[in-house]
Amino acid sequence: MQAKARFTMLRRQLALATLLSFAIAFYMLFIIYSIRVKSPPPSSSNITTALTGAAPPRPRFSLLVGILTRADKYDRRHFLRLVYGIQSSPVADIEVKFVFCSLTKPEQRVLVSLEIMRFNDIIILNCSENMNSGKTYTYLSSLPRILPRRYDYVMKADDDVFLRLEPLARSLEPLPRLDFYYGFVIPCGSMNPFVEYMSGMGFLLSWDIIEWINQSSIPRNDTFGPEDKLVGRWLNLGKKAKNRFSNKPAMYDYPGTNGRCSHDLIPETVAVHKLKRWDQWLHVLTFFNVTKELLKSNLYSV
Ligand SMILES: *[C@@H]1O[C@H](CO)[C@@H](O)[C@H](O)[C@H]1NC(C)=O
Ligand SMILES: *[C@@H]1O[C@H](CO)[C@@H](O)[C@H](O)[C@H]1NC(C)=O
Ligand SMILES: *[C@@H]1O[C@H](CO)[C@@H](O)[C@H](O)[C@H]1NC(C)=O
Ligand SMILES: *[C@@H]1O[C@H](CO)[C@@H](O)[C@H](O)[C@H]1NC(C)=O
Ligand SMILES: *[C@@H]1O[C@H](CO)[C@@H](O)[C@H](O)[C@H]1NC(C)=O
């Protein structure tokens, strides 16, 4: 009698255990199936995203921002290092470097060397300082030779532009990584990124275009003139940059400085250009709450 009861109980436990293992097996199968169906590249996904059905995040991309400036502008570099040193983005690895032509004065060799030793964020091109006679060509075409690595994107920016790296990276995240040209299209009133060219305030190219500029004779033959306009002409002549994106109204000139290229500061800003004076920089930094995250401390009161 007792033996029979024990036997029945054992059978029940066995049935329960079998059921449980089936359930676990089904659950595992379901998870594996969801991962395979919903997220093709397993490296960029995990089980949480598979189960919640959220789109798998794309891998982080890399961006080199080259700010074209002159060796003598020590104060500007100091300031821009502060402005960019406190910014970052969770979706991109962004490196900011200062770009200028060969040094010409003895004191530059000492002072710029100090900067390089401390910050390692300077590129000195083999050229003589110029606005519209080939510096941008030298910059873009030299990169494959002089950089230790490649980037997904390369940007050329002015030293009188304020870039907001997080909105910049967010705007790029869903966009193409190849055959790509991004910026603020000229003419100012236009919304068509194919019409002419992207303003020199800050335009961006994918790495395959940088390699093309390095190798093609189209840019090599056409280096004199307004640098931003030239880049647009090279790409059109070479039938390059089938993917283009003009980021308006997020990029613009500082209010009141340049007709239809200017408008008021707006929260979704990526770039504000033509910041020539301190009061303009202060206005912009204040508007975007750049110093709001300063921590409280007994060491200072600001
Ligand atoms: C899984 O993906 C989610 C959503 O993208 C993310 O927040 C989380 O950090 C990821 N976890 C791991 C361990 O990668
Ligand atoms: C710099 O450019 C000049 C003229 O284009 C060339 O003669 C010289 O060899 C270059 N120097 C270096 C270090 O590449
Ligand atoms: C293009 O890159 C190659 C290989 O890195 C280099 O030898 C060449 O000098 C570069 N061209 C220009 C115009 O800098
Ligand atoms: C570049 O210039 C050279 C010499 O003037 C010429 O032979 C060549 O055809 C030109 N290439 C292009 C793409 O215009
Ligand atoms: C700056 O902070 C103020 C106050 O917290 C807020 O109202 C405003 O929207 C912020 N501006 C931007 C551009 O985020």
Side-chain angles (χ1 to χ4, degrees), residues 137-138 141-146 211 213-215 220:
Y137 172 72
T138 307
S141 65
S142 305
L143 292 177
R145 179 171 50 86
I146 62 179
E211 288 180 325
I213 291 172
N214 162 274
Q215 276 152 27
R220 201 183 310 135

Side-chain angles (χ1 to χ4, degrees), residues 63 153-156 168 172 180-183 202-206:
L63 163 62
Y153 299 123
V154 169
M155 190 166 195
K156 177 262 151 181
L168 170 66
L172 289 166
F180 183 62
Y181 185 29
Y182 167 110
F203 61 79
L204 176 145
L205 297 161
S206 56

